[in-house]
C-alpha cells in the first residue's frame, strides 16, 4: 500500500512523496490526518484561486484587444510545442526512486481504465440523431491534458503531478489520434498517427523518462533554464484559456442542455 504525503516546497508548491504503509504506521507522516486534509484543501483552494485570476487576466486582455486571436494562436503554439513539452521533461529531473516507478505504472493503469470508461459512456450517452454527436462523444471520451492538464497539475500538485500527468498525456496522444480520428472520420490515418508519436510532448516525456531511469545527472546550467521555460506553461495556458472564453458565445453554451451532460460525464 502507498500513502501520498503533501509537503510545501520553497516556492510554495506542494509535492508528493510516496511512502509505504509501514512508514505511516510508525508515524513518519507528520501531523494528524484531519490537519493534513485541511492543509491540502487550503492548498487546492489557493491554487484554484490563482488559476481563476490568471484566466480572468486573459479574459480581460482579450476583451481590450491585447490578447487577440492571432496573438492567442501564436502563444498556443509556443505553449504546446515548447512550454508543455519542456515541463513534461523537467518533471523527470530528480533522483531515481522505485516507488515513483510504481506510481507511474499505476497512473498508466488508471489511464487505461479512464479511457475505457470514457469511450463506453460516450457511445452509450450520445444520441445518434444529434448532428453534433461526434463532438459530444469526443468531449466525453477525452480531456485536454496537454493544453490545460499539465499547467493545472503543475499548479496544484507540483512536479510530481506533472510527472504522472505526462503518462496520461502520452496515452492521450496515441488514443485520441487513433480512436478519436476514427470517431470523426470513420477511418484511422496511419500517417497522422505516426506523426503524432513524434510530437514534442511525447518525445520530451520519453527523453525525461530515459534520463530518470538511467539516472543521468542534468547540470544546473541546463536544468535551470528548462525549468524556467516549463514554469511558463501555467500562466500562459490559463491566459490563453481566458482569451478563448472571452471570444466564445458562452450564452449558447449555457443554454445547451447537452453541455451539462457532457460536463457531468467528464
Amino acid at each position: 500500500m502507498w500513502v501520498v504525503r503533501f509537503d510545501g516546497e520553497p516556492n510554495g508548491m506542494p509535492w508528493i512523496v510516496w511512502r509505504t504503509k509501514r512508514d505511516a504506521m510508525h508515524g513518519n507522516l507528520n501531523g494528524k490526518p484531519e490537519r493534513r486534509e485541511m492543509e491540502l484543501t487550503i492548498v487546492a483552494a489557493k491554487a484554484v484561486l490563482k488559476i481563476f485570476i490568471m484566466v480572468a487576466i486573459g479574459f480581460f486582455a482579450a476583451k481590450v484587444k491585447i490578447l487577440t486571436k492571432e496573438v492567442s494562436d501564436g502563444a498556443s503554439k509556443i505553449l504546446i510545442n515548447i512550454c508543455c513539452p519542456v515541463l513534461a521533461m523537467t518533471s523527470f529531473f530528480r533522483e531515481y526512486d522505485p516507488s515513483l516507478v510504481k506510481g507511474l505504472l499505476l497512473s498508466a493503469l488508471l489511464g487505461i481504465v479512464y479511457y475505457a470508461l470514457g469511450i463506453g459512456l460516450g457511445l452509450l450517452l450520445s444520441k445518434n440523431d444529434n448532428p453534433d454527436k461526434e463532438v459530444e462523444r469526443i468531449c466525453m471520451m477525452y480531456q485536454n491534458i496537454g493544453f490545460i492538464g499539465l499547467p493545472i497539475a503543475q499548479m496544484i500538485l507540483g512536479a510530481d503531478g506533472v510527472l504522472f500527468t505526462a503518462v496520461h498525456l502520452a496515452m492521450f496522444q496515441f488514443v485520441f489520434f487513433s480512436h478519436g480520428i476514427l470517431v470523426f472520420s470513420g477511418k484511422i490515418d496511419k500517417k497522422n498517427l505516426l506523426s503524432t508519436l513524434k510530437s514534442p510532448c511525447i518525445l520530451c516525456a520519453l527523453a525525461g523518462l530515459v534520463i530518470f531511469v538511467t539516472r543521468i545527472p542534468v547540470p544546473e546550467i541546463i536544468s535551470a533554464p528548462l525549468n524556467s521555460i516549463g514554469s511558463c506553461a501555467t500562466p500562459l495556458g490559463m491566459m490563453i484559456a481566458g482569451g478563448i472564453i472571452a471570444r466564445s458565445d458562452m450564452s449558447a453554451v449555457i443554454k445547451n442542455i447537452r453541455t451539462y451532460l457532457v460536463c457531468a460525464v467528464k
Side-chain angles (χ1 to χ4, degrees), residues 54-55 75 79 84 147-148 151 232-244:
M54 287 185 282
V55 171
L79 176 67
C84 282
F147 188 80
I148 297 295
C232 295
T234 297
L236 187 60
M238 296 306 102
M239 287 191 291
I240 292 172
I244 293 174

Side-chain angles (χ1 to χ4, degrees), residues 171-183:
M171 297 178 65
F172 166 81
Q173 294 274 1
F174 178 78
V175 179
F176 178 79
F177 287 97
S178 56
H179 177 265
I181 298 300
L182 179 63
V183 172

